[in-house]
Amino acid sequence: MAKGILLIVSGPAGSGKGTVVSKLISAHEEIALSVSATTRQPRPGEQNGVHYHFITKDDFEKRIKNGEILEYTTYCENYYGTPLKEVNEALLSGKDIILEIEVDGAMQVKKKLPEAVTVMLTPPDKETLENRLRSRGTETDEVIAWRLERAKEEIALMPEYDYSVVNEDGRADECADLIYSILRAEHQKTAYTKDIIKKFI
Ligand code: 5GP
């Protein structure tokens, strides 16, 4: 059976990656979404096992030691990481799987699994990013300034990614379609299709 593709989607806060990824997943139920483990507290409405596996710091560190985590990072003083088992199971059963993770983790995966496909989603410009962050209305000026700085650092790493997609306001559906097209094109790479040769021999 053909192996699935591991697709990484990164993008700074305000890039709209959560919306784009959930549109992609709901339009294409055959694609799996990796559920990360984190030590941060659940936000209102977040469910354990659906949005994240919410675990303790001790548990997270035990999983790192046991080699159960494909990649991990610390963000705002919390651990975030991808459980290896879920990813392996999806890929071996021929299913594509999406990891919605930040740049540090994305680079770790690319090093371990160079065949992983990386996409960076960005807002169109700094002003739009700032407007989006401010329109949430939940964060202080200090936090917004920190997020803008962090966004600049993340976007500067774009050349390390295979693809980039700009998310203009109101265009999340188009971005989801575009990322789906990337996935389809990747499946046509000869690394995945070369078995057809056997049918001619
Ligand atoms: P949030 O707390 O807003 O859900 O996530 C904060 C950041 O952590 C986001 O950029 C998100 O993509 C990233 N993130 C979530 N899960 C993982 C993970 O498993 N590994 C890494 N490296 N980053 C993650």
Side-chain angles (χ1 to χ4, degrees):
M1 190 189 291
K3 245 184 111 184
I5 288 177
L6 193 163
L7 180 81
I8 295 176
V9 180
S10 300
S15 62
K17 74 181 179 288
T19 310
V20 169
V21 168
S22 66
K23 280 181 186 285
L24 179 61
I25 296 295
S26 48
H28 303 283
E29 283 169 6
E30 73 281 8
I31 305 174
L33 178 64
S34 160
V35 179
S36 296
T38 185
T39 57
R40 87 149 157 73
Q41 291 301 309
R43 296 186 185 125
E46 283 185 334
Q47 284 167 272
N48 191 25
V50 178
H51 298 92
Y52 280 105
H53 299 290
F54 295 102
I55 63 175
T56 62
K57 192 166 173 253
D58 277 356
D59 192 3
F60 202 105
E61 287 174 348
K62 213 187 297 160
R63 291 184 195 206
I64 296 173
K65 230 189 243 162
N66 293 343
E68 295 169 32
I69 302 283
L70 171 62
E71 62 70 38
Y72 71 95
T73 195
T74 48
Y75 183 94
C76 291
E77 293 171 10
N78 285 303
Y79 280 124
Y80 291 82
T82 304
L84 182 60
K85 192 164 163 252
E86 285 177 32
V87 172
N88 276 343
E89 280 174 1
L91 295 179
L92 289 173
S93 69
K95 237 181 162 191
D96 296 334
I97 185 161
I98 299 188
L99 272 54
E100 190 199 312
I101 62 177
E102 53 67 66
V103 287
D104 176 28
M107 294 304 108
Q108 292 176 46
V109 176
K110 195 73 185 172
K111 237 185 221 165
K112 284 188 188 168
L113 307 167
E115 69 277 21
V117 180
T118 51
V119 179
M120 180 177 280
L121 191 71
T122 68
D125 49 53
K126 210 169 81 180
E127 290 69 34
T128 311
L129 173 63
E130 193 163 346
N131 287 341
R132 287 182 191 170
L133 293 176
R134 289 199 186 283
S135 69
R136 292 178 178 179
T138 49
E139 278 149 3
T140 60
D141 282 352
E142 198 189 341
V143 172
I144 289 171
W146 182 83
R147 286 191 184 276
L148 279 170
E149 250 343 278
R150 167 105 193 174
K152 270 196 236 164
E153 288 166 17
E154 292 191 7
I155 292 170
L157 286 169
M158 189 200 280
E160 306 294 325
Y161 280 68
D162 299 313
Y163 298 91
S164 72
V165 172
V166 175
N167 186 14
E168 305 269 357
D169 284 345
R171 298 282 177 87
D173 282 314
E174 270 173 49
C175 292
D177 287 347
L178 201 48
I179 296 175
Y180 185 62
S181 309
I182 291 170
L183 201 49
R184 291 202 60 187
E186 285 288 328
H187 271 289
Q188 297 313 121
K189 281 197 163 159
T190 51
Y192 293 95
T193 57
K194 63 180 183 296
D195 275 2
I196 192 115
I197 297 171
K198 288 183 196 150
K199 296 189 182 172
F200 294 87
I201 298 170

